Amino acid sequence: MTTALKTVQAGEIEIAYAESGAGEPVILLHGGESTHVQYDTFRPLLGDGIRAIAYDQRDSGASVNPPDPYGIPDLAQDCAALIRGLGHERAHIFGVSFGGLIALQVAVSVPDVVQSLTVGAAFADASALRAPVASEIIELPPSRRDARMLTFALSERGQADEELVAELRSMLVHRSPEADARRLAAIRGYDLTDRLPEIAAPTLLIYGEDDPAARPGIGQGIAEAIQGARLEVIAGARHGITVEFTRETARLLRHFVLAHPSRPAR
């Protein structure tokens, strides 16, 4: 599925996004090695009653930003600016991996725009950079990460599926060394551990049973820190819960979003 991109201006940042459907606004935050295309297959699976919006973060895809350093809080403000720029007071936030860091930050820094929060395969601090396999991938030049990403994201069964492997490869992006460095630098110093109890939005955590980095225990720790949060573990899944286990993840997100409807858009 391909959709023509639209843009929202947020100061010096031009945010490019793709959308499908109508109804509850759901903002989809992609992982560190991808762009909005990560959700091209995922978006329509959210079904009727949902406006699914996937956007390109800074230094990703068609979004435009100055070559200045930034942190996860800046990326959270970009997300909030997109929500408001689309005419919504609040939206449902869904982020996985790098996008999950941003999603948590939005819920802490800009809670008034969050109707519900769903986070997958993510950490609450910069230990993501030291996690097994993830740290190995980060040390590789961007052009050499693809092969390692396959075993990181997909189960052995998934790696044997040629169509699935091709789909994952199509989602991966090779940034310039400068852009890649800015993305990695944004994570260093990130730590929301002590602020997780501030999150008041309904929260769902989705983790892969066999994720070699963001293990279910990480999700359990986050869930325990946020009042009323729930953890769902997808059996057999590694890090690529929105790729190999697209339908399972989309079903969990859809049910959670529709269980926490938002106020009408402005």
Side-chain angles (χ1 to χ4, degrees), residues 43-251:
R43 279 188 288 114
L45 294 178
L46 293 177
D48 295 340
I50 288 177
R51 181 188 185 187
I53 303 146
Y55 75 97
D56 290 332
Q57 298 155 18
R58 296 194 198 190
D59 289 319
S60 304
S63 287
V64 180
N65 55 275
D68 301 327
Y70 50 83
I72 298 297
D74 298 306
L75 299 179
Q77 291 294 335
D78 293 346
C79 181
L82 174 64
I83 292 169
R84 293 165 177 151
L86 292 173
H88 295 287
E89 293 183 358
R90 303 165 72 87
H92 304 270
I93 310 296
F94 174 68
V96 295
S97 195
F98 190 102
L101 310 186
I102 302 171
L104 286 169
Q105 186 74 59
V106 174
V108 167
S109 300
V110 208
D112 58 309
V113 303
V114 183
Q115 181 62 28
S116 75
L117 173 69
T118 304
V119 174
F123 292 72
D125 59 30
S127 63
L129 295 175
R130 303 186 299 275
V133 184
S135 58
E136 299 172 23
I137 292 172
I138 289 168
E139 292 301 319
L140 293 171
S143 60
R144 294 179 53 200
R145 290 178 187 166
D146 290 14
R148 198 68 182 94
M149 281 296 297
L150 295 180
T151 58
F152 180 50
L154 305 179
S155 68
E156 290 185 3
R157 180 177 179 180
Q159 294 169 52
D161 185 328
E162 292 183 2
E163 290 187 6
L164 185 60
V165 168
E167 183 177 7
L168 176 59
R169 287 187 184 278
S170 73
M171 297 176 184
L172 301 178
V173 61
H174 296 156
R175 297 179 177 86
S176 69
E178 296 78 15
D180 190 61
R182 285 192 293 269
R183 295 274 292 177
L184 289 177
I187 305 177
R188 297 187 178 98
Y190 171 80
D191 190 351
L192 292 181
T193 306
D194 293 337
R195 300 194 64 186
L196 292 176
E198 297 176 24
I199 296 176
T203 302
L204 172 66
L205 289 305
I206 306 176
Y207 284 67
E209 178 185 37
D210 299 325
D211 192 322
R215 301 183 185 281
I218 300 294
Q220 183 62 47
I222 295 173
E224 290 174 355
I226 301 172
Q227 185 173 5
R230 186 177 99 236
L231 171 68
E232 292 284 349
V233 177
I234 299 179
R238 292 189 181 176
H239 201 67
I241 59 172
T242 63
V243 183
E244 184 176 0
F245 293 84
T246 316
R247 293 186 180 278
E248 293 88 340
T249 305
R251 182 172 60 250

